[in-house]
Amino acid sequence: MKILSIESSCDETAAAVVEDGRIVLSSVVASQVEEHRLYGGVVPEIASRRHAESISGVVKEALTQAELTLDDIDAIAVTFAPGLIGALLVGVNFAKGLSLATGKPLIPVHHLRSHIAANYITHVKLKPPFLCLVVSGGHSHIVMVEDYTKMKVIGETRDDAAGEAFDKAARTMGMPYPGGVELDKIAELGNERAYSLPHPTVADSPYDYSFSGLKTSVINLIHNAEQKGNTIIKEDLCASFRRAVVDCLTENLFRAADDLGVDTVVAAGGVSANTLLRRELARICTEKNMKLYVPRVSLCGDNAAMVGAQAYFEYMSGNVADYDLNAVATLPIDYR
Ligand code: KG4
Ligand code: ZN
């Protein structure tokens, strides 16, 4: 089954053709990041307008690269939640139009479920059940993936997402948006024990995260140093901050893995590209004799190939939308 998929939940306009949930026939991503960088973050109004301008070209290009026409496509899939509402609406309406014009089924896809599905492309034999750490710019979740479309949230952030914390810390250190990637690169050069930062936990919720305190500590540390005329060693602060975030992420994840008795751990989302997170997951999984799967780095960030992958399993479970499908800004991953 060949699915044409569309993603427009944030600042990438993307389209792909994916066969049977695992084989990517094409994947096109038009990023708006350069424009949003001027403002230090995503400007929702600009994102929606750029999606509207790019979407038809991106979809055409996905078909061209797959050497297919709309006649060869079996279904149209689209990210409908969660995300920036105006941005999502562009993809949803375009997909509805395509579905209506061609008579092909319309498959609604949850953005975080699609991040998880990036692993089905990278690891063609991977099947649920597994425990998944979903870490992106907007979410930090520990999810028990019982089946392709059946999941349970075990833990989540109470405030900032891990990606957001990386971006805000990076911004305070003068790096352009989104700073997570650059902070990661600079951290490779530093001493992670140079600065002592808190490892916040959430009382009585052993699997939940809280990153806002950690972010504030970095901001305070920088401001205090500036006031006293002390120099901050950027490499060391990046390394210490990255270590604190990764420790928080892995501590709760493996606490949950141990408590639930799972033997397979998966990572997903933009932050799963983080070098230290990948190294630590590999180290701990080897130590605990658990199997680990992470997406290939090119599939960690937002793309439509992952949407096409998840869409296949949604379709197989009977999840097909009517033409009244609407975009939804916030929706739990276990919505159905
Ligand atoms: O999943 P994603 O592409 O978009 C959302 O759904 O939010 O995640 C983007 C987030 C950004 O916060 C970005 O800074 C972060 O992922 N990110 C990283 C790395 N690569 C991307 N954070 C830390 N280290 C990285 N290597
Ligand atoms: Zn995402």
Side-chain angles (χ1 to χ4, degrees):
M1 178 180 192
K2 294 187 187 72
I3 297 178
L4 171 64
S5 51
I6 294 171
E7 150 67 34
S8 70
S9 67
C10 190
D11 59 349
E12 342 272 350
T13 319
V17 181
V18 182
E19 190 162 10
D20 297 338
R22 305 270 182 180
I23 305 154
V24 181
L25 303 182
S26 68
S27 177
V28 179
V29 181
S31 177
Q32 310 170 357
V33 73
E34 294 298 332
E35 191 168 0
H36 296 293
R37 191 166 282 155
L38 300 171
Y39 307 97
V42 177
V43 183
E45 170 77 15
I46 293 177
S48 311
R49 286 170 186 271
R50 294 299 164 263
H51 286 310
E53 285 163 10
S54 319
I55 196 155
S56 56
V58 168
V59 168
K60 261 192 202 153
E61 184 59 24
L63 286 168
T64 306
Q65 284 188 15
E67 297 182 14
L68 297 170
T69 68
L70 271 178
D71 289 342
D72 305 312
I73 298 297
D74 300 300
I76 314 289
V78 65
T79 309
F80 78 107
L84 300 172
I85 196 70
L88 286 165
L89 277 167
V90 176
V92 167
N93 280 316
F94 196 87
K96 279 207 254 188
L98 274 182
S99 169
L100 198 59
T102 57
K104 321 251 172 182
L106 177 66
I107 310 170
V109 178
H110 188 288
H111 183 63
L112 295 184
R113 289 189 183 194
S114 70
H115 270 300
I116 298 173
N119 286 284
Y120 303 139
I121 300 170
T122 309
H123 312 284
V124 288
K125 297 245 156 65
L126 174 66
K127 289 188 176 120
F130 51 77
L131 187 69
C132 190
L133 176 69
V134 189
V135 271
S136 71
H139 299 87
S140 298
H141 279 33
I142 298 173
V143 181
M144 186 64 215
V145 181
E146 289 163 359
D147 207 339
Y148 294 102
T149 58
K150 191 164 175 255
M151 14 213 120
K152 200 168 152 197
V153 176
I154 306 296
E156 62 193 310
T157 184
R158 295 294 185 91
D159 40 58
D160 291 353
E164 198 179 347
F166 271 119
D167 294 343
K168 284 181 181 163
R171 187 176 176 173
T172 316
M173 288 184 250
M175 296 169 213
Y177 172 84
V181 190
E182 195 174 334
L183 189 150
D184 187 20
K185 279 193 198 134
I186 296 175
E188 287 290 292
L189 311 169
N191 170 9
E192 62 184 29
R193 293 200 185 86
Y195 294 98
S196 140
L197 293 169
H199 284 50
T201 51
V202 180
D204 302 326
S205 297
Y207 313 128
D208 282 350
Y209 295 115
S210 168
F211 291 111
S212 73
L214 182 54
K215 175 195 68 192
T216 314
S217 316
V218 171
I219 297 172
N220 290 343
L221 199 146
I222 294 170
H223 289 167
N224 286 341
E226 277 168 2
Q227 277 167 6
K228 289 181 188 154
N230 295 339
T231 346
I232 289 280
I233 301 168
K234 205 174 183 180
E235 291 81 357
D236 289 351
L237 187 55
C238 287
S240 305
F241 180 77
R242 182 179 69 165
R243 167 54 71 179
V245 174
V246 169
D247 281 350
C248 291
L249 289 174
T250 52
E251 273 161 26
N252 290 11
L253 174 69
F254 287 100
R255 184 178 300 124
D258 287 341
D259 293 352
L260 296 167
V262 298
D263 67 350
T264 307
V265 167
V266 173
V271 180
S272 66
N274 187 268
T275 325
L276 181 67
L277 179 61
R278 291 168 88 97
R279 273 205 300 268
E280 279 297 277
L281 289 172
R283 183 186 65 76
I284 302 167
C285 281
T286 307
E287 206 176 273
K288 289 182 174 289
N289 208 13
M290 289 176 180
K291 291 191 278 294
L292 172 70
Y293 298 90
V294 294
R296 84 175 68 104
V297 171
S298 60
L299 288 173
C300 288
D302 290 346
N303 64 84
M306 65 187 194
V307 180
Q310 181 61 25
Y312 174 75
F313 300 106
E314 296 291 343
Y315 182 78
M316 288 301 166
S317 79
N319 187 6
V320 175
D322 289 327
Y323 291 124
D324 62 357
L325 177 69
N326 203 350
V328 184
T330 338
L331 187 73
I333 195 167
D334 52 358
Y335 73 102
R336 95 190 261 283

